[in-house]
Amino acid sequence: MPLRELATQRGLWIGPCVASTPLATEPAYAETLRREFNVVTPENDMKWALIHPARGRYDFARADAITGFATANGMAVHGHTLVWHNQNPAWLTSTAWPRDEAITLLREHIAAVAGHYAGTVAAWDVVNEAIANDGSLRQTPWLDWIGPDYLAIAFRAAAEADPQAKLLYNDYGAEAVNAKSDGIYRLLSDLLGAGVPVHGIGFQCHLAIDGLDIARDRASFARNLQRFAALGLELYVTEMDVRLPLPATAGSLAHQAEIYRGVLEACLAQPAFRGFQTWGFTDKYSWIPHRFLGQGAALPLDEHYRPKPAYDALRECLLAPPAAR
Ligand code: G3I
């Protein structure tokens, strides 16, 4: 039974980020997607630089192709992302906007994009990566222009544009209890305390076999999930991949599979867990080799769309009877 059916039976999302070019050109890509997954996230096509290329001009075509594919195949859409410090258009970042104008721009963008996808996008990464490794607010253009309340403004604007969507905060390097996840915890506690509509947290989970060892740090990951759930937030894994040195070996693939298993098992123990997403699904298309020289093979299917040990581990987790929670 494909992952899709196993996850759907448990009321969970499972699915990857999707790139519009292979979706349009490669039948095996689309076939695998619709067979194995019940949710997709556009990898790049909803980011400011691509969807808002000039002030007041929106280009929805590529993202619409992805949402159209999802809808036609009964899959949910996870939108990514409304506010980020990366992949912004030059027209936006080349001006030092006065606070009022920056707030107007942010609200206009969110109203247009979240409004366009209202009823289609079930969850939005409203704010992506706003906290630095030391737990402080990351220095971003939005922080410079508006100040710390840009986050509350963004979440409120998203709720107005799409009152049904789940509104998430999404970040990396915050899987364990550490200075960064402490900072995110403070931020989300403060926002919730002020009545700002934040519904969930996304743990990106860009991991490496020689990095965060989820087998060793499993207890810390579990404690971290627990404290965010206790705030009343839904929990999502949003961008998981586990990079390894190339070429892969039987040993490195087995180690990778155990990291995937550890993350999904810890999540399945949480009643507030809603979705498990990877950053791609086939090793044929992944950001890793472009960014980390000599590393790759980070996803559950190989470059020929064949299941790897990581796929089997995910499947076994979803097949295991739900723990008494
Ligand atoms: O579109 C241009 C193309 O015209 C040009 O020819 C080509 C030349 O390099 O670049 C293309 O843009 C690239 C874009 O992806 C689309 O493929 C950018 O160079 C490249 O930097 C960009 O990388 C994306 C990256 O975010 C940007 O920071 C990755 O595909 C995407 O997987 C990655 O995703 C992020 C999440 O959004 C947030 N969390 C981390 C994750 C991994 O970095």
Side-chain angles (χ1 to χ4, degrees):
M1 195 184 285
L3 298 179
R4 175 178 182 154
E5 281 162 57
L6 297 174
T8 301
Q9 280 174 4
R10 298 178 83 130
L12 294 174
W13 278 355
I14 190 154
C17 76
V18 167
S20 41
T21 302
L23 181 63
T25 57
E26 198 171 315
Y29 188 91
E31 278 159 26
T32 309
L33 272 174
R34 68 164 76 84
R35 182 183 72 240
E36 294 290 342
F37 305 114
N38 61 12
V39 64
V40 292
T41 300
E43 181 173 11
N44 288 300
D45 296 311
M46 288 180 171
K47 293 171 179 172
W48 270 77
L50 286 94
I51 211 163
H52 196 167
R55 185 167 185 181
R57 185 161 71 74
Y58 295 90
D59 180 356
F60 293 118
R62 282 177 310 270
D64 283 357
I66 295 174
T67 62
F69 170 83
T71 305
N73 290 289
M75 305 161 95
V77 180
H78 179 158
H80 176 81
T81 174
L82 296 170
V83 187
W84 194 25
H85 59 277
N86 263 339
Q87 280 179 291
N88 286 312
W91 71 262
L92 178 70
T93 52
S94 57
T95 303
W97 302 98
R99 174 180 152 89
D100 285 356
E101 200 158 352
I103 292 174
T104 302
L105 279 168
L106 186 58
R107 288 193 175 130
E108 278 174 5
H109 176 86
I110 292 175
V113 176
H116 180 81
Y117 292 108
T120 302
V121 163
W124 269 110
D125 294 332
V126 176
V127 178
N128 196 38
E129 304 172 2
I131 294 289
N133 288 343
D134 67 0
S136 64
L137 276 183
R138 182 195 283 271
Q139 287 302 320
T140 75
W142 293 111
L143 183 65
D144 288 347
W145 298 328
I146 297 178
D149 55 340
Y150 84 88
L151 290 116
I153 291 169
F155 278 101
R156 290 202 162 104
E160 213 168 289
D162 184 353
Q164 306 306 322
K166 299 288 185 182
L167 305 181
L168 315 186
Y169 175 84
N170 189 47
D171 216 326
Y172 66 88
E175 288 76 27
V177 174
N178 57 29
K180 185 166 187 173
S181 61
D182 286 351
I184 296 170
Y185 183 82
R186 284 192 300 273
L187 170 71
L188 299 189
S189 306
D190 289 351
L191 289 172
L192 291 166
V196 175
V198 184
H199 307 127
I201 174 164
F203 299 93
Q204 294 186 7
C205 294
H206 291 294
L207 305 178
I209 64 166
D210 55 0
L212 170 72
D213 184 341
I214 220 68
R216 203 184 59 227
D217 286 344
R218 170 87 168 260
S220 180
F221 181 46
R223 272 206 322 282
N224 201 32
L225 292 172
Q226 181 63 43
R227 68 171 167 167
F228 284 99
L231 287 179
L233 294 169
E234 295 186 344
L235 309 174
Y236 295 79
V237 167
T238 48
E239 306 186 10
M240 186 160 175
D241 45 28
V242 183
R243 59 188 181 271
L244 46 79
L246 295 173
T249 63
S252 63
L253 292 174
H255 187 173
Q256 176 184 60
E258 290 318 299
I259 296 176
Y260 273 100
R261 185 194 305 279
V263 168
L264 183 53
E265 268 181 8
C267 289
L268 287 171
Q270 290 290 338
F273 175 56
R274 294 288 179 274
F276 182 86
Q277 294 194 249
T278 49
W279 209 238
F281 59 102
T282 163
D283 289 334
K284 189 169 182 181
Y285 301 106
S286 162
W287 71 294
I288 297 289
H290 305 285
R291 176 73 182 279
F292 298 92
L293 213 61
Q295 297 190 58
L299 293 163
L301 300 177
D302 73 11
E303 63 275 23
H304 303 294
Y305 297 94
R306 291 181 304 223
K308 292 161 62 183
Y311 175 97
D312 298 332
L314 296 178
R315 197 165 175 278
E316 284 162 20
C317 289
L318 292 171
L319 272 168
R325 317 197 260 186

